[in-house]
Amino acid sequence: TLLSSLGLGTTLTFASSHWLLAWMGLEINTLAIIPLMAQHHHPRAVEATTKYFLTQATAAAMILFASTTNAWVTGAWDMNSLSNPIASAMILAALALKLGLAPMHFWMPEVMQGLDLLTGLVLSTWQKLAPLALIIQTAQATDPLLLTVLGLMSTLIGGWGGLNQAQLRKILAYSSIAHMGWMVIVLQYAPQLTLIALLTYIFMTSAAFLTLKASSATKIGTLATIWSKSPILATTTALVLLSLGGLPPLTGFMPKWLILQELAKQSLPLVATVMALAALLSLYFYLRLCYAMTLTISPNTTTSTTPWRVQATQASFPLALATVMTLGLLPIT
């Protein structure tokens, strides 16, 4: 029931051209994921769920208020008639809060840290679709400066925040913030590039989360012992992380390349330079993970206890599919 409601909420938001229906889809979506987040009854999970609920409810209320204001001024509930500047700025702020774009990103690492890996995967991929669809539909009505600032701040903060983390879920949360920034920065110039970036981001994040689930790792220390259990998985994971960082010849290079090219085409060289430098920040912490995983092999002593070898209960097909997509899709550019 909860998973189908989760799908229904996002689909409703996709299909709507009326603000009330879009708001309702977002609400159904939020209400469906909350029991999934709190299903372990762990205090940390409940805390994360509460934080998530409060931010999402605030954002939904802001969307409702902004669309009501817009309807009051223009007399239309249609998404395309977003002509009131105050309403459009408020809606962008609310959707940024829903997505976790900086400077409204503070809930995201905290919430991710409290969830198990599969719910974290849903939160960082599926839950991004509906707000991003709304942002894409209303992007032409919003101030380009606002979108640029959101995108730049998100990539910078997503790079900086992850630098000193030891928790993998927080690192992935910051990586998610940075990727969202890349999507938003190019939105008004080439929305199709936003969609390409979203698609590759979903593949790469799924591969990362499913790998961590397969090796049940939540800290960097655990990663250092993976190579003895499953060396091939350790190799592919290192490549997946480099793909998330955006290195050629892996898939993650494609959206960054195209987005930088588009920004240069729109004569925004400064923005493009800052984005490329911010990508270096993110690359640094992915390289830290790669180092812990593949460069700390014996005869070095590992500081963490070696985990038990247990029979894997997870289906390996989704992981294999996501990994192949993450490593090999660059030629479709």
Side-chain angles (χ1 to χ4, degrees):
T1 309
L2 293 172
L3 284 174
S4 58
S5 302
L6 199 64
L8 171 76
T10 306
T11 317
L12 259 183
T13 308
F14 278 171
S16 65
S17 59
H18 189 287
W19 275 117
L20 269 181
L21 197 59
W23 169 80
M24 208 160 114
L26 292 170
E27 281 294 282
I28 292 173
N29 200 351
T30 305
L31 290 177
I33 201 176
I34 278 176
L36 292 174
M37 292 167 98
Q39 64 186 342
H40 289 301
H41 302 300
H42 190 274
R44 189 69 189 81
V46 174
E47 180 193 345
T49 312
T50 313
K51 286 176 180 168
Y52 183 75
F53 172 73
L54 289 173
T55 52
Q56 299 298 305
T58 310
M62 273 175 73
I63 289 174
L64 199 57
F65 177 58
S67 53
T68 315
T69 310
N70 187 58
W72 183 43
V73 174
T74 61
W77 282 93
D78 197 51
M79 273 186 200
N80 302 324
S81 60
L82 196 62
S83 52
N84 189 10
I86 301 175
S88 63
M90 272 187 65
I91 278 181
L92 184 64
L95 290 170
L97 178 59
K98 268 199 177 294
L99 278 178
L101 285 167
M104 284 79 101
H105 67 284
F106 292 99
W107 60 272
M108 180 94 190
E110 297 289 321
V111 169
M112 282 286 261
Q113 186 51 38
L115 306 178
D116 68 318
L117 290 164
L118 288 181
T119 320
L121 172 64
V122 171
L123 177 67
S124 56
T125 56
W126 185 254
Q127 292 297 93
K128 303 282 185 234
L129 295 179
L132 203 65
L134 291 182
I135 286 191
I136 289 174
Q137 283 182 64
T138 57
Q140 301 311 320
T142 47
D143 186 13
L145 179 67
L146 205 55
L147 281 172
T148 311
V149 166
L150 275 175
L152 280 175
M153 275 193 74
S154 297
T155 39
L156 282 167
I157 285 176
W160 259 315
L163 286 185
N164 213 10
Q165 292 293 342
Q167 300 287 344
L168 295 179
R169 284 168 292 187
K170 279 194 178 173
I171 285 183
L172 282 167
Y174 280 112
S175 121
S176 165
I177 294 167
H179 279 278
M180 286 294 141
W182 279 92
M183 287 172 219
V184 165
I185 197 92
V186 78
L187 189 53
Q188 279 191 323
Y189 311 115
Q192 64 274 27
L193 286 188
T194 301
L195 290 176
I196 287 182
L198 177 68
L199 209 59
T200 49
Y201 161 74
I202 285 178
F203 282 139
M204 296 186 293
T205 311
S206 308
F209 268 106
L210 291 170
T211 311
L212 296 180
K213 181 82 176 67
S215 51
S216 61
T218 54
K219 290 190 189 66
I220 292 187
T222 324
L223 284 182
T225 59
I226 286 183
W227 63 270
S228 59
K229 277 202 296 186
S230 42
I232 298 175
L233 187 65
T235 316
T236 55
T237 312
L239 288 173
V240 163
L241 287 166
L242 292 178
S243 183
L244 266 168
L247 289 188
L250 306 166
T251 310
F253 178 56
M254 172 173 62
K256 287 191 166 51
W257 176 22
L258 294 174
I259 287 173
L260 288 177
Q261 188 183 356
E262 182 63 35
L263 288 173
K265 248 188 230 168
Q266 300 286 348
S267 64
L268 296 166
L270 189 63
V271 175
T273 313
V274 176
M275 293 295 281
L277 292 175
L280 283 178
L281 287 171
S282 309
L283 184 61
Y284 175 74
F285 62 77
Y286 297 126
L287 280 174
R288 263 180 73 214
L289 296 185
C290 289
Y291 174 78
M293 224 154 58
T294 52
L295 294 172
T296 51
I297 301 181
S298 64
N300 296 349
T301 51
T302 51
T303 50
S304 55
T305 52
T306 312
W308 290 98
R309 289 165 185 264
V310 286
Q311 191 62 41
T313 53
Q314 177 192 348
S316 56
F317 177 69
L319 171 58
L321 182 70
T323 306
V324 168
M325 294 286 202
T326 305
L327 302 184
L329 277 190
L330 189 67
I332 68 168
T333 311

